[in-house]
């Protein structure tokens, strides 16, 4: 149902051609997990392909509006497009590549099922291998170091943009939101990897000292995740504010442009005081329609 698509945490892109599908389709296929927002819609990320699924509104013109598949949100490197203004990504009508003459009939985007998750869980994980306690702890510490360092740098970058003097550029904040979302994904992966390490270590009957160290590393990852989530929320709020402000400013400019038309219509109506009431009403209705057209034109580029 439509409601189910709106609430979906993940979608799966696949082709009915299976292994016979073109390489570009097979590369984009897979699970797109919900990750952030853009232009009032949710964004999704496919980690294996490093591909984003996101919505772009009509601010750059109707030809650029729709649901995109691309290397980064709003970036120049794009792989596919569904020309649809829905609040959630559509199931069909995907043009791959984005400038294809017509959509591909074999490609669909469906809600990710529990079976998809189970298949991922059944994949062989390196953490499940039998390794020494020392090596397992070393791998766990490396997870913390890499994820923690990357998160700290992302937060520093975000603060340098958001806390700069004056209003930050909308595209700069959007890039920050994307960066923070990627780091959140990496942290969540690190947490999942640590959990698998802990489960495998228990099966190997690790020492109490090693168990305590793994627990401590987990707590550190939780702290990193909390800090990153807080900064990501702040960046998203700022992006939403900037997008709203930009839209309001465009509406204001459109109304300012349309105002002379309305004033002229009023003046014409005043000149026709002696005319019938219906003629005056026609003049005012025409003015209102002109204003509505100008506002609609402005919003189409909002």
């Amino acid at each position: 149902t439509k409601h189910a698509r709106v609430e979906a945490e993940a979608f799966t892109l696949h082709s009915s051609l299976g292994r016979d599908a073109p390489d570009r389709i097979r590369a984009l296929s897979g699970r797109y997990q919900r990750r952030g927002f853009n232009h009032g819609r949710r964004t999704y990320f496919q980690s294996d392909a490093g591909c984003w699924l996101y919505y772009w509104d009509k601010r750059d013109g109707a030809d650029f509006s729709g649901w995109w598949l691309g290397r980064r949100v709003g970036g120049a490197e794009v792989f596919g497009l569904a020309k649809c203004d829905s609040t959630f990504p559509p199931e069909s009508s995907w043009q791959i590549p984005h400038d294809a003459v017509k959509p591909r009939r074999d490609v669909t985007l469906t809600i990710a099922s529990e079976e998809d998750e189970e298949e991922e869980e059944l994949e062989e994980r390196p953490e499940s291998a039998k390794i020494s306690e020392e090596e397992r702890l070393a791998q766990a510490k490396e997870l913390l170091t890499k994820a923690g360092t990357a998160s700290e740098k992302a937060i520093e970058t975000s603060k340098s943009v958001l806390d700069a003097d004056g209003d930050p550029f909308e595209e700069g904040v959007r890039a920050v939101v994307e960066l923070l979302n990627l780091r959140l994904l990496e942290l969540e992966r690190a947490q999942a990897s640590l959990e698998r390490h802990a489960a495998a270590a228990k099966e190997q009957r690790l020492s109490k000292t090693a168990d305590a160290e793994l627990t401590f590393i987990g707590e550190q990852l939780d702290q990193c995740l909390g800090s990153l989530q807080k900064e990501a929320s702040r960046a998203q709020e700022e992006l939403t504010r900037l997008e709203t402000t930009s839209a309001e400013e465009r509406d204001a400019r459109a109304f300012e442009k349309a105002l002379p038309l309305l004033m002229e219509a009023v003046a014409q109506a005043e000149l026709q005081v002696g005319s019938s009431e219906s003629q005056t009403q026609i003049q005012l209705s025409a003015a209102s329609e002109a204003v509505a057209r100008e506002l609609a034109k402005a919003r189409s580029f909002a």
Side-chain angles (χ1 to χ4, degrees):
T1 64
K2 289 186 176 181
H3 179 71
R5 291 186 76 82
V6 172
E7 296 299 322
E9 291 292 320
F11 289 91
T12 300
L13 182 77
H14 53 84
S15 168
S16 60
L17 299 177
R19 294 184 178 181
D20 294 328
D23 289 343
R24 63 160 62 97
I25 303 297
R26 294 176 63 185
L28 295 172
S29 297
R31 184 186 182 89
Y32 287 76
Q33 189 70 36
R34 183 177 133 188
R35 179 63 57 194
F37 290 85
N38 185 66
H39 290 188
R41 309 283 200 279
R42 289 172 176 169
T43 58
Y44 305 83
F45 186 67
Q46 211 273 59
S47 56
D48 292 334
C51 180
W52 286 89
L53 166 61
Y54 64 92
Y55 175 75
W56 197 262
D57 63 22
K58 296 180 181 178
R59 67 186 58 202
D60 296 320
D63 290 342
F64 295 94
S65 179
W67 285 91
W68 291 84
L69 293 167
R71 185 66 65 195
R72 61 181 295 270
V73 176
E77 188 178 3
V78 292
F79 313 119
L81 167 66
K83 293 184 176 180
C84 176
D85 290 329
S86 59
T87 56
F88 48 85
E91 182 173 354
S92 57
S93 302
W94 289 96
Q95 296 173 203
I96 301 176
H98 73 284
D99 55 358
V101 177
K102 58 183 179 180
R104 294 190 63 93
R105 294 183 179 180
D106 61 299
V107 174
T108 54
L109 185 76
T110 58
I111 298 174
S113 64
E114 293 182 1
E115 286 76 12
D116 294 332
E117 295 184 33
E118 290 172 0
E119 287 178 7
E120 291 182 1
E121 291 174 359
L122 289 174
E123 292 178 1
E124 187 176 347
R125 302 288 188 178
E127 299 90 342
S128 302
K130 290 185 178 181
I131 56 178
S132 67
E133 192 172 277
E134 292 75 16
E135 186 177 353
R136 192 175 296 284
L137 286 174
Q139 290 183 14
K141 289 176 181 176
E142 185 178 3
L143 280 174
L144 175 61
T145 300
K146 286 185 176 180
T149 300
S151 297
E152 289 176 2
K153 289 182 178 179
I155 290 174
E156 288 176 6
T157 299
S158 175
K159 289 182 177 179
S160 68
V161 172
L162 300 182
D163 298 334
D165 294 337
D167 267 352
F169 289 109
E170 184 178 323
E171 290 307 314
V173 177
R174 181 172 286 107
V176 163
V177 169
E178 181 182 342
L179 173 64
L180 293 170
N181 283 331
L182 281 172
R183 294 297 174 262
L184 280 170
L185 180 62
E186 292 171 359
L187 261 179
E188 290 171 359
R189 283 180 177 172
Q191 284 184 317
S193 178
L194 183 64
E195 289 174 1
R196 291 191 292 271
H197 270 301
K202 286 182 179 179
E203 290 183 3
Q204 292 181 232
R205 297 182 180 181
L206 78 167
S207 66
K208 291 183 178 180
T209 301
D211 182 52
E213 285 196 54
L214 286 175
T215 300
F216 176 74
I217 292 172
E219 291 172 350
Q220 294 297 303
L221 282 175
D222 287 341
Q223 289 182 13
C224 289
L225 184 61
S227 299
L228 198 60
Q229 287 175 332
K230 182 178 180 180
E231 188 65 18
S233 296
R234 187 168 81 102
Q236 183 60 58
E237 289 175 1
E238 179 64 11
L239 179 58
T240 300
R241 183 188 71 81
L242 289 171
E243 289 180 341
T244 302
T245 300
S246 297
E248 290 175 348
E249 289 176 350
R250 282 188 288 272
D251 282 353
R253 287 196 296 270
F255 184 76
E256 184 178 352
K257 182 179 179 180
L259 188 58
L261 297 175
L262 179 59
M263 296 301 292
E264 180 181 353
V266 171
Q268 290 295 326
E270 290 176 345
L271 290 174
Q272 296 178 9
V273 172
S275 303
S276 67
E277 183 179 341
S278 60
Q279 289 178 315
T280 303
Q281 186 61 45
I282 290 173
Q283 283 285 342
L284 291 175
S285 295
S288 296
E289 289 175 3
V291 172
R293 283 196 301 272
E294 290 298 325
L295 285 174
K297 188 185 299 182
R299 288 185 178 126
S300 69
F301 292 97

